[in-house]
Amino acid sequence: MNYAPTSISPAHSVHTKGAGEIRLVNLTKSFGDMDAVKDINLTIPHGSYCCLLGPSGCGKTTILRMIAGHETPTTGEIYIGDDMVVGKTPVERGTAMMFQSYALFPHLSVLDNVAFYLKMRGVGKEERRTRAREMLERVQLSHLANRMPAQLSGGQQQRVALARSLITNPKVLLLDEPLSALDEFLRLRMRGELKNLQDELGITFVHVTHTQPEAIALADMVVVMDTGRIEQAASANEIYNRPATPYVARFMGGQNVLTGRVESISPTGMVLKSEKGEIFNAPLTGAAPKLGEPVSISMRRDRISISKPQNGKGAQQADAVTGVVDSTEYQGSFVKVSIVLDGGETFVANMPDHEFFAEPVDHGVPVVARWKPEHVHVLSKADTEGTKDPYAGSGH
Amino acid sequence: MSAPALKEGRVSAATLPASRMKMTADSSGRKAWAPYLQVAPLTLVLLLFFAIPVALVVVVSFFRYQMLVGLVPDFTFKNYVDILTNPTNWSLYLSTFKFTIIVLAITFVLGFWISYFLVFHVRNLMTAIALFLICTVPFWTSNIIRMISWRPVLGREGLINQALQGMGVTAQPLDWLLYSDFSVIVAYVHLYTLFMIVPIFNSMARIDKSLLEAAVDGGASRWGVVWNVVLPLSKTGIALGSLFVVTLVMGDFSVVTVMSGGLSGSVTSGMFNDLQFLNYPRAAANAVILLIVVLLIAVAIFRLVDVRKELVR
C-alpha cells in the first residue's frame, strides 16, 4: 500500500489535536465473578500508535472492545477526546474497529462492504459507490471491487477491512490482532504498511497483539498486560531496556532476571547476594531498599559473555553465574545459548555469531556467564515467580 | 438423486492428482462398477418409493373413469379438462393458496424472531439448547392430538370465550374462534412453525457474531443490522423453511377438515372426494396438477436463493 501523499483526502485532517486521546479511568470489566480487566487507568495520547501486549486471556482484547463500544464496562469511564463515551455507539465515539477475522460481510461485494457505512448514513447509491471506489483505490484494490470477500486472499481481505474502517473517518482505529491470520511474509509487509498508514493519517491506533516483536516494531507506546492488569506502559525502547517488573522482563524476552538480598549499600550502588551466595553489583535507583530486602535485577541477553570456568573459580567472581549449557540455537546474526544455572533456572546469552564460533560451546559444557555492572537494571518489584521458564507461554 | 451422485464421483476422480489418477486407471477394469454398487441402495429406494408411484399416478391420470367399473385404461385429457373447468376446484386452489400465504407469513415472522432470539440474545449455549428443545415439545404428541387440543381452548365453551365473557369483554361467545379459517390458521401455525425455526436457526447459528459488531461499527442501528446483515445471511434457512411450510400446507388434508369442521376445504380434500367415488383418474390428474404447482413454487424459491450453493458452503 504505497500511499502517495497526494492520495490522502483532506477529510482526514479535520480532527483537531487531542481529539483522539483515549483515557481509561478506573476501568473494570467482570464476566460473572471473574475480572477480565481490573481497575485500569491509562492515557493513550492523540495520534500515537499504541500496542496492547500480553498473553491470551490477559484482558487486552476486552479493553479494545470496551473502547470500541462492543463491550460495556462493569465500572469505570472511557474518554475519547473530552467526551465520556460509555453507552455511545461506535460512530458517536469516532472509533472504527478492524476485527481479527476481518468480519467482511460475505453477502456483499468488496465495493458494497466498503460502502456499508455510507449506506447506513443514507448516502445515495451512486455517491457512496464513487466514494467507496476512491477508498479502494487508496488501498490499491479497485480492480477487485466487484469480487465477493470469499474470493479474496487473506491479505486482500485485510485491506478491504481496513478500507471499510477508514471510510468512517475515525479518530481512533482499533485493531484486534490484525496480523495474526497472515503468513510471515505478509505479516511483515502489512506491519510496515500499518505503521506508514498511521504516520500519514495521524490518528490514534490501538493495536492488540500477543507478539512482542510486532509491538516493539510498531508502537510508540507499549502496554504490557498480565491477567487484567497493566504491568507497564511506556515506549518500546523503555519497555525493552528498562522493564518495570520481572514479568515484563520475562515476557519481552530480551532479559535475564536474577534475585538477591541487599548485602550492603553505598552511595554509588548496592551489593546483592543470591541464595546460592553469588554477588551482584547493582546501581541504586530511586529510594534505597533496606538491608536484607530481596531485590530483582535484569540484564539484557546480548550483554552477557560466556567463558569456560577456570579451576572452578568462576563461582567466586562477582557479576557472574555458573551453569551448564542446555542448548544452542543459531539465529543468523547471533547464537542463543541457553544455560541451566546451578539452581535450575534458565539463563540466556545471545552471543554474536563470530564470537560464538571462535570458541563454541555445546550441550553439557559447564560455563560462566558474566556481565558488566553498568548493564544491570534494577526491577521495581522483587521476583516471586522463582525458577519459571521465562518463555513459557510467551510463544517466543 | 443418483445422477448427481455419479457426477460428483466423476468430478472427484478428475481432480485427483496425476499419480493417483494412474492408479485408478490401472484398477479401472475391476473397480469400474464399484461406484454404481455404492449408489444402488439409494437408487432402489428412490425408484421403488418415489419414481414408480409418481409414474403410476401420472399414467392413471390419463385413464378413463367409468361409473360402477372404475379404472379403464385409456389415453384421455378429460380428467384434466374436468378439473380445470370446475369452479369448485378453482375455489379449492384459491383457498389453499390463501392459507399457504397467510401461514407462510406468520410462521416466517415467528420463526425468524424465535431463531434470532435463540441465536443472538441467549448468551448461554445450554439455555439456547434447552429453549430450542422446548420448541420441539409439541412434536412429542401426534398431529391429531395437537389439533384436537385446540377445541377446549377455542370452542364456544372454551377457555378463551369463558375468559372474555368472565372479564365482560364480550356478552356472547365468539363463534369465529373454532371451525373457521381462523382456527385452521392457528392449527397450521402451531404445527408448522418448527419447520421454519429449524432451518433459520441453522443458518443464523452460522453467522459470525463479529459481523453484527462490524455492522454496528459501520453505523447500523438495531434494525439496520437485522435488515442488512442477519436477514440476507439467513436467506437459505428462510428458503428451506418456506419450502417445508408451503409443501406441508399445500398437501394438507386433515388439519383443514378437522379445524374447519368441514366448512373449508383444500385441494387434497377435493382428491379425497374423488377417491371416495373410486374416481382414481381424476384424483390422479388433480395430484399431478398439484405436484406441478408445488414444483413451480419450489423452483421460484430456489431462483430467489441459491440453496445448493449455501448448503455446500
Side-chain angles (χ1 to χ4, degrees):
Chain A
M1 251 185 287
N2 298 316
Y3 299 93
T6 50
S7 69
I8 302 299
S9 79
H12 280 282
S13 55
V14 296
H15 300 310
T16 51
K17 197 166 157 40
E21 181 190 82
I22 304 169
R23 227 154 25 96
L24 311 179
V25 182
N26 300 331
L27 195 64
T28 297
K29 176 69 186 180
S30 315
F31 294 107
D33 48 7
M34 198 203 71
D35 286 346
V37 173
K38 293 172 202 154
D39 199 25
I40 275 185
N41 287 287
L42 179 70
T43 301
I44 302 169
H46 169 74
S48 62
Y49 201 123
C50 172
C51 276
L52 300 179
L53 176 65
S56 45
C58 72
K60 56 191 192 299
T61 302
T62 309
I63 292 183
L64 192 81
R65 290 173 53 78
M66 283 194 281
I67 299 173
H70 295 310
E71 208 84 68
T72 315
T74 310
T75 56
E77 288 160 353
I78 300 170
Y79 294 89
I80 294 176
D82 296 325
D83 302 328
M84 221 296 266
V85 295
V86 174
K88 290 190 175 175
T89 67
V91 172
E92 288 165 345
R93 290 167 189 235
T95 59
M97 181 147 167
M98 232 178 84
F99 294 83
Q100 188 173 8
S101 58
Y102 310 138
L104 298 177
F105 304 120
H107 58 293
L108 297 180
S109 70
V110 166
L111 191 67
D112 287 337
N113 260 286
V114 176
F116 188 84
Y117 167 75
L118 301 172
K119 186 180 177 190
M120 293 302 108
R121 297 290 300 267
V123 177
K125 195 166 194 163
E126 282 315 307
E127 192 195 336
R128 67 173 188 252
R129 292 214 157 153
T130 313
R131 283 169 63 182
R133 222 177 277 279
E134 284 167 13
M135 186 52 79
L136 278 174
E137 240 155 66
R138 291 186 52 196
V139 295
Q140 301 183 346
L141 280 181
S142 38
H143 58 295
L144 300 176
N146 296 318
R147 294 263 188 99
M148 299 307 274
Q151 297 170 298
L152 304 183
S153 71
Q156 290 167 336
Q157 289 189 18
Q158 191 181 42
R159 284 166 189 230
V160 176
L162 200 55
R164 190 180 63 179
S165 303
L166 292 179
I167 206 162
T168 67
N169 191 17
K171 290 186 272 190
V172 175
L173 185 65
L174 304 161
L175 307 113
D176 186 7
E177 310 227 353
L179 307 176
S180 62
L182 302 177
D183 64 48
E184 188 64 23
F185 173 75
L186 262 179
R187 181 156 48 228
L188 292 180
R189 209 173 108 190
M190 280 309 292
R191 196 164 89 181
E193 288 181 1
L194 281 178
K195 182 78 181 159
N196 290 343
L197 184 66
Q198 197 264 339
D199 281 346
E200 278 172 33
L201 297 178
I203 61 175
T204 313
F205 274 38
V206 183
H207 175 136
V208 159
T209 179
H210 57 257
T211 319
Q212 296 88 337
E214 200 170 298
I216 297 276
L218 284 170
D220 303 320
M221 179 185 191
V222 179
V223 179
V224 183
M225 294 196 56
D226 179 30
T227 57
R229 288 205 174 82
I230 293 177
E231 284 282 321
Q232 190 174 7
S235 71
N237 191 296
E238 174 110 7
I239 294 260
Y240 193 74
N241 285 310
R242 294 192 288 136
T245 63
Y247 174 85
V248 176
R250 289 208 162 89
F251 187 74
M252 294 314 292
Q255 306 266 353
N256 290 296
V257 178
L258 293 168
T259 305
R261 289 184 185 278
V262 179
E263 187 85 345
S264 66
I265 298 178
S266 70
T268 50
M270 55 188 169
V271 176
L272 307 177
K273 189 173 185 183
S274 76
E275 280 177 16
K276 285 172 294 172
E278 296 140 332
I279 300 293
F280 311 133
N281 288 302
L284 205 52
T285 48
K290 294 189 192 75
L291 287 179
E293 209 176 315
V295 168
S296 285
I297 54 172
S298 70
M299 62 287 300
R300 277 172 61 154
R301 290 172 172 182
D302 49 358
R303 303 276 194 253
I304 312 290
S305 64
I306 292 178
S307 58
K308 301 211 170 113
Q310 281 142 13
N311 313 326
K313 277 199 296 190
Q316 274 80 48
Q317 286 177 308
D319 303 324
V321 286
T322 56
V324 174
V325 174
D326 183 45
S327 64
T328 58
E329 245 176 52
Y330 184 50
Q331 305 272 1
S333 57
F334 65 91
V335 180
K336 178 181 161 192
V337 182
S338 299
I339 303 162
V340 177
L341 300 186
D342 298 340
E345 311 99 288
T346 308
F347 194 88
V348 179
N350 289 347
M351 305 194 46
D353 60 343
H354 59 90
E355 235 172 75
F356 177 83
F357 289 113
E359 201 182 342
V361 289
D362 208 349
H363 174 79
V365 176
V367 289
V368 181
R370 257 187 216 89
W371 59 91
K372 291 186 178 136
E374 63 260 36
H375 291 143
V376 169
H377 166 68
V378 180
L379 302 172
S380 67
K381 220 155 72 175
D383 193 9
T384 48
E385 285 191 54
T387 59
K388 246 172 76 179
D389 184 336
Y391 293 99
S394 75
H396 282 265
Chain B
M1 192 56 90
S2 66
L6 286 176
K7 210 169 95 191
E8 291 285 302
R10 264 211 312 277
V11 168
S12 61
T15 53
L16 280 175
S19 59
R20 291 187 60 195
M21 276 286 278
K22 195 159 158 274
M23 199 187 74
T24 353
D26 285 345
S27 50
S28 62
R30 258 184 323 121
K31 297 271 178 68
W33 44 268
Y36 294 96
L37 193 67
Q38 284 174 322
V39 299
L42 188 61
T43 315
L44 272 179
V45 167
L46 282 169
L47 275 177
L48 270 176
F49 297 106
F50 179 69
I52 292 175
V54 169
L56 269 178
V57 169
V58 173
V59 168
V60 169
S61 71
F62 293 105
F63 281 14
R64 192 154 46 83
Y65 168 71
Q66 199 171 347
M67 204 81 87
L68 302 174
V69 181
L71 286 177
V72 180
D74 199 351
F75 185 77
T76 169
F77 287 97
K78 184 178 177 297
N79 302 310
Y80 289 96
V81 175
D82 267 6
I83 287 164
L84 293 176
T85 52
N86 184 346
T88 317
N89 246 310
W90 280 101
S91 69
L92 281 178
Y93 266 93
L94 215 64
S95 128
T96 304
F97 273 129
K98 183 188 73 189
F99 283 135
T100 306
I101 287 166
I102 294 172
V103 172
L104 190 62
I106 296 174
T107 53
F108 163 66
V109 171
L110 283 177
F112 186 84
W113 289 114
I114 291 172
S115 305
Y116 184 85
F117 174 77
L118 288 176
V119 174
F120 296 113
H121 274 260
V122 182
R123 288 215 168 175
N124 186 334
L125 184 69
M126 288 310 289
T127 322
I129 292 172
L131 288 172
F132 189 77
L133 282 177
I134 288 174
C135 292
T136 67
V137 166
F139 282 74
W140 299 356
T141 58
S142 90
N143 239 343
I144 301 291
I145 291 174
R146 273 180 289 156
M147 276 191 295
I148 290 174
S149 59
W150 279 108
R151 291 187 179 182
V153 179
L154 299 176
R156 271 185 72 89
E157 305 289 317
L159 216 61
I160 292 178
N161 268 327
Q162 286 195 352
L164 286 177
Q165 280 170 285
M167 288 188 297
V169 180
T170 51
Q172 296 294 314
L174 299 173
D175 283 331
W176 53 265
L177 284 180
L178 191 60
Y179 301 134
S180 61
D181 285 359
F182 174 78
S183 59
V184 173
I185 288 166
V186 166
Y188 274 141
V189 168
H190 179 210
L191 292 174
Y192 300 146
T193 300
L194 188 71
F195 291 98
M196 198 57 118
I197 295 177
V198 172
I200 297 183
F201 178 87
N202 184 41
S203 42
M204 270 189 196
R206 289 202 266 168
I207 298 176
D208 181 358
K209 300 276 189 299
S210 60
L211 290 181
L212 276 64
E213 290 176 350
V216 171
D217 236 48
S221 62
R222 252 162 200 260
W223 279 102
V225 174
V226 171
W227 184 253
N228 290 291
V229 180
V230 179
L231 194 65
L233 291 176
S234 309
K235 255 177 14 187
T236 323
I238 295 167
L240 285 174
S242 305
L243 199 63
F244 286 141
V245 171
V246 166
T247 47
L248 284 168
V249 176
M250 295 285 288
D252 169 70
F253 160 65
S254 55
V255 174
V256 96
T257 312
V258 174
M259 294 310 288
S260 74
L263 296 175
S264 291
S266 69
V267 179
T268 321
S269 42
M271 288 177 220
F272 184 75
N273 287 340
D274 282 340
L275 288 178
Q276 286 192 316
F277 292 103
L278 298 182
N279 192 345
Y280 292 113
R282 200 163 73 189
N286 206 347
V288 171
I289 292 174
L290 183 62
L291 185 66
I292 290 169
V293 169
V294 173
L295 279 177
L296 286 177
I297 295 175
V299 168
I301 291 174
F302 286 126
R303 270 286 169 91
L304 288 175
V305 182
D306 190 350
V307 175
R308 226 186 99 101
K309 190 186 86 187
E310 297 283 322
L311 286 181
V312 171
R313 184 171 70 98

